Amino acid sequence: MIAGQDTHLQPKILFLQFFLGVVFAVLAARLFYLQVMQGEYYRTLSENNYTRNIVLRSPRGMLLDRKGEVLCRNRVSFSLIMDTARGGSIDDTLSAMRRVLGLDMTREELNAALARSPVRSLAVIARDVPTSWLQKVESHQEQLKMLRIEMEMRREYPRGPVASHALGYVGLMPKEEFKSRPESERDPFIEVGKAGVEKSANVLLMGRNGLKKAQVNNLGREVE
């Protein structure tokens, strides 16, 4: 009787062994495909998720008169930046921004700011913001993870409107010029000369930016 039972079970055992063999073969083939055939692709994708290229801005050159008197110089300024690529709800961010920072901005105004930026996901929300906003943005990252404060060097004209027509002014780099520049010079918030000496001597005044790679966490903060 026992021998008969073994004979009856043997086909089922062979089928189970065959089935498990097929499953393991499929898993092995899939593993080979992911690790060997597509390994380079997923390795690059993984690195891009935690590394970021950071532009080291070159300070814009000063303008002096023939006596060495300063006509135009740089000053430290803090700007509020929105990065929609960080994920989350834009409407919730605008609401939290209104509640935490007291800054009221409509969705239409944000869309206009994004349209002006060379990078579609980045926008300058406000410039010359108070330093107290630094702590507020950092301490409310759960609600404001799309926002960050960046230090900028902005132009300052000590003599006010004197010779302003000759000195000119600066503004954000146009999208076409931004796309044509090498990676080390792709700073979406850098300003270029738009008129006067600022424009005619723009290449000389801008200098050359540097570039570094940094590891960042899931909030975009530099960790190494």
Side-chain angles (χ1 to χ4, degrees):
M1 186 68 180
I2 296 177
Q5 288 180 344
D6 291 342
T7 303
H8 180 70
L9 290 175
Q10 188 173 4
K12 295 182 178 179
I13 294 175
L14 290 176
F15 174 78
L16 182 60
Q17 290 176 339
F18 175 77
F19 177 75
L20 291 177
V22 171
V23 170
F24 281 115
V26 171
L27 291 176
R30 181 62 177 172
L31 187 62
F32 176 82
Y33 174 77
L34 292 176
Q35 291 193 343
V36 179
M37 304 296 293
Q38 295 291 317
E40 187 64 29
Y41 168 76
Y42 286 107
R43 188 178 302 110
T44 302
L45 188 64
S46 175
E47 290 175 354
N48 289 340
N49 282 338
Y50 69 85
T51 61
R52 173 179 295 174
N53 291 330
I54 299 177
V55 175
L56 303 176
R57 298 173 183 169
S58 172
R60 194 171 177 85
M62 295 192 301
L63 295 176
L64 310 176
D65 65 11
R66 62 179 181 176
K67 296 181 180 179
E69 296 292 331
V70 177
L71 300 176
C72 178
R73 62 192 177 198
N74 300 312
R75 62 178 175 83
V76 175
S77 171
F78 293 96
S79 296
L80 180 65
I81 308 299
M82 177 174 283
D83 185 356
T84 59
R86 289 187 173 188
S89 168
I90 293 179
D91 291 330
D92 289 346
T93 300
L94 292 176
S95 178
M97 187 171 68
R98 189 179 304 112
R99 184 175 62 256
V100 176
L101 303 177
L103 181 61
D104 194 2
M105 187 176 203
T106 65
R107 185 66 177 268
E108 290 73 22
E109 291 172 333
L110 173 61
N111 290 338
L114 289 169
R116 289 193 299 268
S117 173
V119 179
R120 183 62 181 172
S121 62
L122 297 175
V124 180
I125 301 301
R127 278 179 156 159
D128 292 325
V129 303
T131 54
S132 60
W133 283 20
L134 283 164
Q135 182 180 1
K136 291 181 179 180
V137 170
E138 285 296 318
S139 60
H140 292 82
Q141 270 298 294
E142 289 189 5
Q143 299 94 346
L144 300 174
K145 68 177 183 178
M146 284 188 181
L147 301 182
R148 69 174 185 266
I149 303 289
E150 283 202 8
M151 186 183 75
E152 293 186 292
M153 301 299 293
R154 301 202 64 196
R155 300 300 261 175
E156 182 178 59
Y157 304 91
R159 298 188 181 182
V162 175
S164 59
H165 62 287
L167 295 177
Y169 63 93
V170 295
L172 289 177
M173 183 180 293
K175 295 181 180 180
E176 297 75 16
E177 184 179 353
F178 175 82
K179 294 178 180 178
S180 65
R181 286 182 171 271
E183 186 177 13
S184 60
E185 298 179 14
R186 288 188 177 184
D187 183 349
F189 309 114
I190 198 167
E191 294 182 322
V192 297
K194 297 289 187 177
V197 178
E198 292 278 25
K199 181 178 180 179
S200 61
N202 183 67
V203 175
L204 181 62
L205 292 171
M206 283 185 65
R208 296 188 64 180
N209 291 333
L211 182 71
K212 74 171 181 177
K213 284 184 177 292
Q215 291 188 8
V216 296
N217 60 17
N218 62 329
L219 294 177
R221 296 175 183 169
E222 185 176 342
V223 294
E224 184 179 343

